Amino acid sequence: MCGTCGCGSDTNGPTILKPGEHNHSHDVLHHNHDSHTHTHEHHTHEEHTHTHNHSHDHKHKVLEIEQDILQNNQVLAARNRGYFEAKNIFTLNLVSSPGSGKTSILERTLSDLKETIPFYVIEGDQQTLNDANRIDAIKIPVIQINTGKGCHLESDIVYEAVKKLEIKNNSILMIENVGNLVCPSMFDLGESKRIVIISTTEGDDKPIKYPDMFYTSDICIINKIDLLPYLNTDIEKLKSYALQVNPKLQFFEVSATTGEGMEAWYGWLKENI
Amino acid sequence: MHELSIVMGIVKIAEDETAKIKENTVAKIELEIGQLAGVELDALNFVWESAVKDSVLEHALKTIIEIPGKAICADCNREFYLNNIFDSCPNCNSNFKGIIQGKELRVKSLEVI
Ligand SMILES: Nc1nc2c(ncn2[C@@H]2O[C@H](COP(=O)(O)OP(=O)(O)OP(=O)(O)O)[C@@H](O)[C@H]2O)c(=O)[nH]1
Ligand SMILES: [Zn+2]
Ligand SMILES: [Zn+2]
Ligand SMILES: [Zn+2]
């Protein structure tokens, strides 16, 4: 296993499950992440310093490829986006560090708005059906993607989950990404908006420590404001760091526990569908 | 660690491109990686060897061309180099800018035998 984020070498690929389904882990997709084991030697740039001076045997051919490494994900994200637009599905990709309160915000939002807006949820986690079960408990159609060792969702697996979820037109799809402030930032899923959630307990300088996630998000929800009296966190400082990274970010300050601040967030949701 | 997904993406590109011309060994691969692309080269090098095993890249010599970050200020139009995605304009201090280079994540070329 890699220390950085838990990508390991287990053989389980990503699996897709609905709450209540049997839990034998079939590999739904052939996912690249898997077939490889990690060695624990540290490799540096040594390759750089090689000078290449052996005589050519005239069989070498140079292919000028100029291809984007993430192209595959981007193409599939574009396919997802087209599908969502055609069906008028407003899709949100919720990203954050582990435990910032993504599922809690979802639970509260869905409970409060489910009578007026049709919601669907895709839950991404490395393991367990826990989050999907919490959403299932409030009777919202939900599907769980377990990424196994993968530390983020990619558009191919989201596509499979979307097909299985049978989403109706004119609805909101919430995708809770794997709790990880680094890796999901690079993978477009075809979402309409990306929402980064940060909780007050994480420190005000998170946005400049993990700038990519804030740079690629449209909305920043600051959660757990009920805890502010017990913390030294300076919300204004947090926001100014976040704006330094991404001057277009729009903020909502909420407590998923007490419900404080949720109305403004609901207002934004209703305006955007 | 998304660097593993990235190397797997590189392997896929190399496999696809070599399959097109029915070759199966890459002697050299050149990558262009922007300094603002969000990739740690240490992490990429760390996963490289295990990720390319049994692929056309297994014995390839890898060269990484790092591309420095560059932006243009939306307020005063100044072009400037930046080390962090959140660096502000050195001329007017604005945070509004367009990144013009440094986000690259590309397989530039392959040399096949
Ligand atoms: N005090 C307080 N606690 C909260 C709030 N929101 C969530 N929590 C608590 O924070 C913990 C993590 O909440 P989750 O909703 O599971 O967080 P998550 O982001 O979904 O976690 P992962 O899916 O593991 O990344 C739980 O113990 C919640 O009860 C809040 O607004 N205030
Ligand atoms: Zn969760
Ligand atoms: Zn990762
Ligand atoms: Zn300027």
Side-chain angles (χ1 to χ4, degrees), chain B residues 30-111:
Chain B
E30 254 185 336
L31 307 173
E32 283 182 332
I33 299 190
Q35 286 175 345
L36 305 176
V39 169
E40 292 294 337
L41 293 186
D42 281 351
L44 188 138
N45 287 317
F46 177 78
V47 297
W48 182 266
E49 191 154 311
S50 57
V52 301
K53 216 182 189 78
D54 302 323
S55 79
V56 294
L57 288 177
E58 180 157 9
H59 302 292
L61 195 71
K62 145 164 86 34
T63 304
I64 297 177
I65 301 159
E66 284 190 73
I67 300 177
K70 209 172 170 188
I72 182 161
C73 175
D75 285 317
C76 77
N77 259 353
R78 163 83 82 96
E79 278 188 20
F80 60 101
Y81 285 97
L82 63 175
N83 296 319
N84 302 298
I85 216 158
F86 52 80
D87 290 349
S88 48
C89 170
N91 187 43
C92 75
N93 226 9
S94 167
N95 287 320
F96 286 90
K97 66 197 166 231
I99 307 271
I100 50 183
Q101 117 185 1
K103 297 286 276 170
E104 297 79 2
L105 208 48
R106 263 201 303 258
V107 177
K108 185 167 161 41
S109 68
L110 295 175
E111 188 175 317

Side-chain angles (χ1 to χ4, degrees), chain A residues 102-103 123 125 131 134 176:
Chain A
K102 296 180 294 302
T103 314
E123 283 290 345
D125 276 302
D131 284 356
R134 284 165 64 181
E176 180 179 338

